[in-house]
Amino acid sequence: MPAPLTVAGAEKLRAELSALKNERGTVSRAIGEARKLGDLSENADYHAAKEKQGLMEARIRFIEAKLAAAQVIDVSKIKNTGTVIFGATVTLEDLETGNQVQYRIVGEDESDVRAGLISNISPLARAMMGKQVQQSFFVGEGVREKEWLIQAVEHK
């Protein structure tokens, strides 16, 4: 099943992929320079450069696989019906305190709670998906259960 990804998330991954591919030459040159220093079994520069190359190539393969399997969703092209969907920016009110927060529902690899980006598989996002503006919902269990009210849904 394709993993959802926002347009911004896909662009960020493509930029990282490009930067990593551009760095390949630098790492190859570092390996070549380290080889010139002699005995490779005790050459820390060589081993460090080879380790960096291995990590970089693994990350390149990971990003390429993510992009190949991704379903990029441009929420700005979807009609806003007031329903919470993937990619939407949702303003919530904590019904206990009256505090408001705003989150954008993004793919798992894009999430950054401090930046207001929550994963579509997080409990909060799963609880609000499919709900409408002015509809309330609960998240959590027992004493940690919290009721939220959807104040606004935006497609940015």
Side-chain angles (χ1 to χ4, degrees), residues 15-51:
E16 182 183 355
L17 181 61
S18 177
L20 286 169
K21 286 183 174 183
N22 288 335
E23 194 179 340
R24 277 177 165 159
T26 304
V27 173
S28 287
R29 282 190 293 281
I31 291 171
E33 290 298 316
R35 276 191 181 147
K36 291 179 186 176
L37 298 176
D39 185 10
L40 298 181
S41 65
E42 296 180 15
N43 187 329
D45 290 340
Y46 174 78
H47 291 290
K50 287 296 281 182
E51 182 176 349

Side-chain angles (χ1 to χ4, degrees), residues 45-124:
D45 290 340
Y46 174 78
H47 291 290
K50 287 296 281 182
E51 182 176 349
K52 182 175 182 175
Q53 181 185 43
L55 293 171
M56 190 173 66
E57 292 300 325
R59 181 68 181 162
I60 287 170
R61 286 190 304 275
F62 175 80
I63 293 171
E64 287 176 337
K66 277 283 182 194
L67 288 171
Q71 177 185 6
V72 179
I73 298 171
D74 186 351
V75 74
S76 68
K77 294 183 178 179
I78 300 172
K79 183 180 178 199
N80 188 346
T81 63
T83 302
V84 178
I85 61 171
F86 178 86
T89 301
V90 184
T91 303
L92 301 172
E93 179 183 344
D94 179 337
L95 290 179
E96 185 178 311
T97 65
N99 292 335
Q100 287 193 353
V101 293
Q102 190 175 68
Y103 293 114
R104 182 167 187 215
I105 301 171
V106 297
E108 194 175 356
D109 295 319
E110 304 173 72
S111 67
D112 180 356
V113 175
R114 290 183 182 149
L117 305 172
I118 62 170
S119 168
N120 63 308
I121 64 169
S122 70
L124 182 61

